[in-house]
Amino acid sequence: MQLIYYLISTCTHLVVSINIWLPRPVCDMHQYACSTLHCWRREQSKSGLSNTMPSLRGFSAVFALALLAGVFLASLPSGVQSIGVCYGIIANNLPPPREVVQLYKSKGITNMRIYSIQLQALDALRGSGISLMLGTTNNDVAALAGSLSAASSWVQAHVKPYHSAGVTIRYIAVGNEVTGGTAQRILAAMRNLNKALAAAGLGGAIKVSTAVRFDVLTNSYPPSAAVFAQPYMVDIARHLASTSAPLLANVYPYFAYSSNPRDIKLNYATFQPGATPVRDARSGLVYTNLFSAMVDAMYAALEKAGAPGVRVVVSESGWPSAGGLGATPENARAYNQGLINHVAHGTPRKPGPMEAYVFAMFNENQKPGAETERHFGLFYPNKTPVYPINFVGARLAAANHTNSHGFGGGH
């Protein structure tokens, strides 16, 4: 019984922590089943359990259990644990950061994005096991671009001490949706931060990128026709290729749908069944949800920029629950749960597990702009859900989706 308990515990730990210790991209289903058994054998060897087997029959029983567990896990789409949630704080009624981190953990959310240096949040993340995308503000970009010493000071003050204290910083996002003349300085800021990280002994451990809006593309329909609208993005793409860092892209089917509901159907935009497939005549790929088409447009632009190996991490995506056309709790839940389940499948151009961040954790009552901006939260500030959403069970939910649900596109 002790051995069986150990095996079940190991498999449970595997499901919860897969994003931490499996290499990325996570292997496909067959490889995943094999790696599950391999890891079990490795743990068995370390613990000396192989010497406690009373007979070949006992070994066979345990091995059969391991095989059954491996097959069960292999039947679930891998990579869904690469979903995170953005933690925005443009509000005056949010819970303390320590409670926020506990809420992430209680819901099984393993990745967080913050947009600036939030000292209380960084302190609360120590030893939490939550991986972090840490942002610089847009106002920081010019200083970081203009001076290596400024970049070094930023790393020494805001990155190295927290990394040393057990905060898992995966990415640094140089600004968010930077526009105008400042956008021309993003690359210099990225280069300086990479040099500063290397000098601090963190070179390669933390990837530096920038989070871009979808309108950095032009000719985005069909997806294969997309190119970057500005030359500076071509330079950024090639730099990312040289550092093995991903491009961070904010992808919002909601805004595409709400601006053109005549041509973009609601089920097509919210991962719902019954959407009419759209075929990209240039590539031959078929899309049945808008999210995949938008992500593949980014991939097409990267390929044309000479950076086909750069991965796209969706740094924001979400759907509002109030305040605009199609902004209801039902539609928001359909989209966000669909996104959570979808990332295991990837896109037609890049099948396989992908990484995405839902926007956002809370409704933020002081966000400027349209009313929808204040209703993107998964939770109210009192920590109650705006609608039911499932992160821990997303692997099981995703198993019920067909491939036709997983791949999609639109205009």
Side-chain angles (χ1 to χ4, degrees):
M1 286 302 296
Q2 233 178 348
L3 183 56
I4 294 173
Y5 175 79
Y6 172 82
L7 176 60
I8 294 171
S9 299
T10 300
C11 292
T12 302
H13 175 77
L14 176 68
V15 172
V16 173
S17 305
I18 186 170
N19 68 304
I20 297 173
W21 62 272
L22 273 182
R24 296 184 187 277
V26 180
C27 50
D28 64 22
M29 291 182 185
H30 174 74
Q31 292 169 318
Y32 181 75
C34 294
S35 68
T36 301
L37 294 174
H38 173 73
C39 292
W40 175 77
R41 291 190 191 109
R42 185 178 61 219
E43 294 298 323
Q44 180 192 58
S45 175
K46 284 181 183 176
S47 63
L49 286 173
S50 59
N51 296 327
T52 68
M53 301 283 182
S55 67
L56 181 61
R57 181 191 226 167
F59 172 79
S60 298
V62 174
F63 182 79
L65 180 60
L67 182 60
L68 187 61
V71 170
F72 170 73
L73 290 172
S75 71
L76 304 178
S78 60
V80 82
Q81 292 284 352
S82 58
I83 274 283
V85 179
C86 302
Y87 173 25
I89 58 169
I90 307 176
N92 60 8
N93 56 357
L94 298 182
R98 194 162 297 281
E99 292 183 18
V100 174
V101 170
Q102 288 304 312
L103 182 60
Y104 270 69
K105 293 175 68 175
S106 72
K107 300 300 180 182
I109 304 169
T110 56
N111 298 336
M112 175 189 289
R113 180 185 179 188
I114 61 176
Y115 294 83
S116 62
I117 301 302
Q118 302 173 31
L119 296 180
Q120 288 185 325
L122 287 167
D123 286 336
L125 286 167
R126 295 176 191 232
S128 67
I130 295 172
S131 296
L132 182 65
M133 180 187 296
L134 176 63
T136 79
T137 69
N138 291 0
N139 291 333
D140 292 331
V141 173
L144 294 170
S147 167
L148 178 57
S149 64
S152 297
S153 296
W154 196 89
V155 168
Q156 291 296 327
H158 305 310
V159 179
K160 190 170 184 179
Y162 292 100
H163 182 273
S164 301
V167 178
T168 306
I169 302 172
R170 293 186 65 197
Y171 308 117
I172 294 174
V174 178
N176 182 58
E177 300 185 346
V178 181
T179 58
T182 306
Q184 307 291 333
R185 310 198 70 181
I186 293 171
L187 181 55
M190 290 169 59
R191 285 175 170 154
N192 281 342
L193 281 172
N194 274 316
K195 291 175 184 176
L197 288 168
L202 300 173
I206 300 171
K207 299 300 183 182
V208 178
S209 187
T210 187
V212 300
R213 300 194 310 194
F214 192 71
D215 63 5
V216 298
L217 302 181
T218 187
N219 299 328
S220 59
Y221 180 78
S224 60
V227 295
F228 288 119
Q230 300 293 335
Y232 77 86
M233 279 303 304
V234 174
D235 295 334
I236 286 174
R238 292 173 180 173
H239 175 75
L240 294 173
S242 72
T243 61
S244 300
L247 176 64
L248 309 176
N250 296 344
V251 177
Y252 283 97
Y254 173 74
F255 294 119
Y257 162 76
S258 62
S259 65
N260 187 12
R262 186 187 68 180
D263 295 326
I264 300 176
K265 303 306 180 185
L266 184 62
N267 59 355
Y268 196 59
T270 55
F271 296 104
Q272 294 302 291
T276 302
V278 173
R279 184 176 182 273
D280 184 333
R282 292 173 177 237
S283 66
L285 298 173
V286 176
Y287 294 87
T288 59
N289 74 65
L290 181 54
F291 173 84
S292 289
M294 295 174 77
V295 173
D296 275 358
M298 284 285 176
Y299 276 119
L302 284 166
E303 290 178 13
K304 292 183 180 72
V310 171
R311 184 169 55 102
V312 173
V313 168
V314 177
S315 44
E316 286 183 16
S317 191
W319 195 282
S321 60
L325 178 68
T328 67
E330 294 77 17
N331 290 339
R333 182 186 183 278
Y335 179 81
N336 286 323
Q337 191 68 65
L339 176 64
I340 291 166
N341 297 341
H342 174 79
V343 296
H345 302 286
T347 69
R349 186 179 284 264
K350 295 287 183 178
M354 61 185 298
E355 186 173 355
Y357 292 73
V358 177
F359 186 87
M361 194 66 172
F362 299 103
N363 284 338
E364 298 172 67
N365 66 353
Q366 294 184 322
K367 284 204 73 177
E371 183 62 24
T372 53
E373 292 294 326
R374 293 175 283 283
H375 297 279
F376 272 88
L378 300 176
F379 296 90
Y380 294 109
N382 65 3
K383 299 184 290 186
T384 61
V386 177
Y387 43 81
I389 200 80
N390 188 351
F391 286 87
V392 174
R395 296 173 67 82
L396 291 170
N400 294 324
H401 278 229
T402 64
N403 285 338
S404 64
H405 296 164
F407 296 128
H411 299 278

